[in-house]
Amino acid sequence: MPDSTVIAIELSAVVVAMESATPTVLLTRSLDRCRAPMLPAGDFDPRRHRTFELGLRDRVARQTGLALDYVEQLYTFGDQDRLQPDAPGDITRHISIGHLGLVSQQQALRDEQTLWASWYDHFPWEDYRHGRPAIIDMIIAPALSRWTNEAPDEATREARRQRAQLAFGLNGARWVDTRVLERFELLYEAGLASEAQRHDDVEVVTSLPGEPLMSDHRRILATAMDRLRGKLRYRPVIFDLLPEHFTLSQLQLTIEAIIGCRLHKQNFRRTLDRTGLVVPTGAVDTTTGGRPAERFRFCREQWRQQMAPGVQTPLAHSEYQ
């Protein structure tokens, strides 16, 4: 008997913009206020769109009125149970092709069902800018310790212990900002993410602070955070989140907001000077409240000629090490 499974291809977008020193993502609300918000997403129409990227741009524009500056494909999400069946007996397999989109500033949204939200609303343990988040030692570490101790044998307990230590920088381990997805999937497996309640084999023991999203959209967001945190170090994508002219302090604060860690100011300036990524405009910013700050621009000429590198991120505190 032929397989009657229907494959549905969805395009989803993590659209990021900066608001002051906060990385925000574009979300859409359901008309049912009891349901969690979701990323902009919709079915791919192969008759209408030549590529996935064009389909994604069109979907976001029609859904939110937003024109994306930078877009790249993230990953294909196709877990069998990523969506609840639409009806009893529904055997549709939903495949979502996730994308990362960047815009240089928050834009007004034409639909009251859309909103900008800090990505730290969904991942509060990821923001190290003001020191180690209290949620890690007060809630996450004890909960992971209980989960570890519940393992059926010593080998499994040791594996869980090492995963928790490396993911969350426990017991003196180094905090690595590009482990966002690893941390979320560990919390999910341990029954600490509310989204895990749809699995019969995962017992949700407690819901951590951190707002859920529909379906697996928080996992898609975690994937995008990982990608952006890593990519800004080897490609100058950070400038797609900045206005055309900016101060070096504004650049530093934007990078810190994305990676969730403080940078060492002097070392950051020195490494930035060596890249040639920014050049002065000759203008100054007098709105800083202190000494006027020189304005700079991204040197796109260098990018076109020799594929400019990203920005280095020398961290400010030993607690990240």
Side-chain angles (χ1 to χ4, degrees):
M1 182 176 180
D3 186 357
S4 58
T5 300
V6 176
I7 302 296
I9 298 178
E10 175 190 83
L11 303 177
S12 55
V14 177
V15 181
V16 181
M18 293 298 300
E19 174 62 22
S20 297
T22 301
T24 63
V25 293
L26 188 63
L27 300 176
T28 65
R29 297 187 187 95
S30 169
L31 293 176
D32 179 358
R33 296 293 180 172
C34 294
R35 303 179 70 183
M38 61 185 292
L39 299 171
D43 293 340
F44 172 65
D45 184 351
R47 295 164 298 182
R48 180 184 177 92
H49 303 117
R50 181 172 54 85
T51 68
F52 289 137
E53 179 180 327
L54 292 174
L56 187 282
R57 287 180 179 276
D58 181 63
R59 167 65 62 178
V60 171
R62 287 189 290 119
Q63 204 167 30
T64 69
L66 189 66
L68 300 179
D69 297 329
Y70 173 92
V71 174
E72 70 169 270
Q73 192 173 129
L74 275 177
Y75 190 73
T76 300
F77 301 84
D79 289 4
Q80 189 170 20
D81 52 1
R82 62 177 300 269
L83 293 180
Q84 296 290 346
D86 292 331
D90 180 15
I91 56 174
T92 301
R93 186 70 175 268
H94 295 271
I95 308 297
S96 182
I97 301 176
H99 292 74
L100 170 64
L102 306 179
V103 291
S104 58
Q105 61 182 4
Q106 283 190 357
Q107 299 179 26
L109 303 173
R110 68 185 182 191
D111 189 336
E112 63 180 13
Q113 298 303 119
T114 57
L115 70 153
W116 292 103
S118 168
W119 72 22
Y120 293 121
D121 289 347
H122 307 281
F123 298 94
W125 53 87
E126 292 293 337
D127 191 357
Y128 248 87
R129 288 175 294 172
H130 305 291
R132 185 176 176 85
I135 185 179
I136 293 178
D137 296 317
M138 294 179 63
I139 302 177
I140 292 176
L144 289 176
S145 179
R146 290 191 295 271
W147 175 68
T148 295
N149 293 333
E150 291 167 358
D153 55 71
E154 181 54 35
T156 305
R157 284 192 289 274
E158 181 58 24
R160 289 183 176 185
R161 189 177 298 114
Q162 289 187 11
R163 286 178 64 195
Q165 178 175 304
L166 294 175
F168 284 96
L170 306 178
N171 303 320
R174 184 168 63 96
W175 175 264
V176 179
D177 62 89
T178 52
R179 287 180 172 161
V180 186
L181 180 60
E182 179 183 340
R183 285 186 278 272
F184 179 66
E185 292 191 330
L186 176 61
L187 296 175
Y188 192 104
E189 183 179 337
L192 301 174
S194 59
E195 290 94 330
Q197 66 187 354
R198 67 174 182 264
H199 294 278
D200 294 336
D201 58 343
V202 178
E203 179 185 0
V204 179
V205 294
T206 183
S207 290
L208 294 175
E211 298 177 12
L213 295 174
M214 282 287 291
S215 179
D216 59 353
H217 285 198
R218 194 153 52 142
R219 183 183 179 211
I220 298 174
L221 174 55
T223 305
M225 291 171 67
D226 261 357
R227 175 71 62 85
L228 186 54
R229 284 180 168 187
K231 191 160 190 172
L232 66 80
R233 293 174 167 105
Y234 63 88
R235 286 288 183 269
V237 292
I238 196 67
F239 299 102
D240 288 292
L241 291 169
L242 288 161
E244 183 178 1
H245 297 159
F246 50 85
T247 67
L248 294 185
S249 291
Q250 188 177 5
L251 172 59
Q252 180 175 338
L253 287 172
T254 300
I255 295 171
E256 290 175 340
I258 295 298
I259 66 174
C261 298
R262 292 293 185 195
L263 300 180
H264 188 286
K265 181 177 178 179
Q266 288 74 26
N267 289 345
F268 170 68
R269 296 283 177 93
R270 281 194 290 267
T271 58
L272 186 64
D273 286 342
R274 290 196 292 268
T275 66
L277 284 173
V278 299
V279 292
T281 64
V284 296
D285 185 350
T286 60
T287 65
T288 58
R291 181 179 177 182
E294 189 172 13
R295 286 186 174 274
F296 291 77
R297 65 173 178 85
F298 172 44
C299 187
R300 296 189 181 277
E301 300 83 27
Q302 175 171 333
W303 165 246
R304 296 190 183 101
Q305 292 174 9
Q306 57 186 36
M307 294 295 288
V311 292
Q312 298 305 301
T313 56
L315 302 180
H317 304 301
S318 60
E319 64 188 301
Y320 307 130
Q321 308 303 317

